Amino acid sequence: MAIYKNTDAIGERESLEDVIYRISPDETPLFSNMEKVATKGINHEWQVQELATAVDNNANNEGADYSYSNPSPTVRLGNQHQIFVQAGSVSNTLDIIDKAGRDRETAYVKVLKGIEQRRDIEKTLCASVAKSASDPRKFGTIETWLSNVSSAGDATDITSFDGSAVRTDGTGRALTLAQIEGVMQSCYEDGGNPSMLVLSPSKKATFSALSSGSVATNQIQMTANAPRDAVIIGSVSLFLTDFGELSVTIDRQMQNDRVYLLDPEYIKMGALTGRSFSVSDVAPTGDATKFAIVSEMTLIVSAPKAHGAVYDLS
């Protein structure tokens, strides 16, 4: 006897969830943790003041005239604004028809483009790019500002700390706690207090393995009436150094050959007024809605000595 099956019938409704799942990583820990400030010029500038070196012989004769000395002049630093653009074009038909997981396609695509732009900014912050005033303008990335670094002996580190140059990598070496502690000490002696240790997923695993011998043991108290599952701790989220605590921050956009030690008080993102993830509508040239998400931003490292890095990691 023939069985009447679904393949024989016409009119079966589709089984499609009204949700769109997004697996691509969209976290931007560097960009998200930076203070956002308004800027007014393409070349945004700021000043850094250095104090005189402390002395241990500030003793003076009674009645003596003063010895006058002027403070050192400020150092004027600056960085260029970089224009980030994510453009989209959606057919007007697609915008109107009934769709699963979203209402208007244009609004949905704008959200996606904004997320993509945040990731581009994050990736740029982690890259090795010197500032440039030539079109297309580029801002000097984090690497071009840091003065307290640990690097391989055959590396060529920058000497200007003003965004104008990138370093030349040396031979890869293993990450050690001593390298991080040494950079942390240098930052502290220069007046900084780094609180973020930023590393790639690969280096996070390496760092946790290095630190496993000194991780404080988590003690779980339980009773017979309220038993709890024991948890094996194999990672480190807070690193206590001799010079302060470092919050271990994983960044998927971070390069594998380095880790950054950052003081959030002295690193910011500046954006020209009205140019931070602004929507620019483009005149239609056909039966479609066209637009662009535009940001014109720059990195502001207000105190380069407050931060550090460990480079040339294998």
Side-chain angles (χ1 to χ4, degrees):
M1 180 179 179
I3 299 175
Y4 191 56
K5 303 185 296 295
N6 69 302
T7 54
D8 301 318
I10 304 299
E12 179 183 359
R13 291 185 181 274
E14 64 179 7
S15 176
L16 177 61
E17 291 189 31
D18 199 25
V19 175
I20 298 175
Y21 298 98
R22 190 172 64 240
I23 187 60
S24 299
D26 58 6
E27 300 94 339
T28 55
L30 277 175
F31 181 75
S32 298
N33 278 282
M34 291 182 189
E35 180 184 352
K36 311 304 185 294
V37 298
T39 52
K40 298 180 179 180
I42 291 174
N43 181 36
H44 180 72
E45 296 183 292
W46 61 94
Q47 298 181 79
V48 179
Q49 178 71 66
E50 294 278 352
L51 296 178
T53 303
V55 298
D56 60 1
N57 62 343
N58 193 342
N60 300 274
N61 295 329
E62 183 177 339
D65 193 8
Y66 301 128
S67 176
Y68 301 92
S69 62
N70 294 322
S72 59
T74 59
V75 177
R76 187 168 175 172
L77 301 174
N79 208 356
Q80 295 288 324
H81 281 74
Q82 182 169 330
I83 301 174
F84 295 85
V85 175
Q86 257 79 16
S89 177
V90 179
S91 79
N92 292 332
T93 301
L94 181 58
D95 221 16
I96 296 300
I97 61 174
D98 189 28
K99 299 171 291 294
R102 70 276 196 198
D103 185 12
R104 295 188 67 85
E105 192 74 13
T106 299
Y108 178 66
V109 173
K110 286 179 180 178
V111 172
L112 292 181
K113 292 299 180 181
I115 294 172
E116 290 174 357
Q117 189 162 109
R118 288 175 63 92
R119 295 203 314 166
D120 283 358
I121 295 171
E122 185 82 4
K123 187 74 171 180
T124 302
L125 289 169
C126 298
S128 302
V129 181
K131 66 181 178 182
S132 173
S134 302
D135 282 333
R137 297 191 308 273
K138 297 178 181 179
F139 63 66
T141 58
I142 292 175
E143 174 187 304
T144 65
W145 296 92
L146 306 186
S147 61
N148 293 309
V149 303
S150 169
S151 57
D154 56 347
T156 302
D157 289 315
I158 61 173
T159 58
S160 53
F161 320 121
D162 60 1
S164 62
V166 296
R167 61 188 304 277
T168 301
D169 295 335
T171 303
R173 61 210 177 115
L175 175 66
T176 67
L177 295 180
Q179 295 164 352
I180 299 174
E181 287 273 12
V183 172
M184 188 71 172
Q185 179 177 348
S186 297
C187 294
Y188 181 83
E189 290 174 346
D190 279 341
N193 292 286
S195 60
M196 289 180 63
L197 179 66
V198 186
L199 27 63
S200 69
S202 172
K203 280 297 171 287
K204 173 60 171 70
T206 301
F207 175 73
S208 292
L210 290 174
S211 309
S212 60
S214 58
V215 174
T217 302
N218 284 17
Q219 296 183 357
I220 302 176
Q221 296 181 349
M222 63 184 74
T223 66
N225 295 328
R228 299 173 59 190
D229 293 334
V231 178
I232 298 174
I233 306 299
S235 66
V236 180
S237 59
L238 189 66
F239 183 32
L240 179 60
T241 76
D242 288 332
F243 307 97
E245 294 179 352
L246 286 169
S247 176
V248 181
T249 304
I250 307 173
D251 192 334
R252 288 185 171 95
Q253 308 302 332
M254 186 73 173
Q255 298 184 55
N256 285 324
D257 65 349
R258 65 193 58 191
V259 301
Y260 285 148
L261 290 76
L262 303 178
D263 185 341
E265 183 178 353
Y266 297 108
I267 188 166
K268 306 172 184 177
M269 286 299 294
L272 294 177
T273 303
R275 298 278 281 175
S276 178
F277 299 98
S278 61
V279 179
S280 176
D281 294 321
V282 181
T285 56
D287 188 22
T289 299
K290 298 180 179 180
F291 60 88
I293 307 298
V294 181
S295 294
E296 192 159 2
M297 294 186 169
T298 190
L299 175 65
I300 304 170
V301 184
S302 50
K305 290 185 177 181
H307 318 282
V310 179
Y311 290 122
D312 306 317
L313 299 177
S314 56

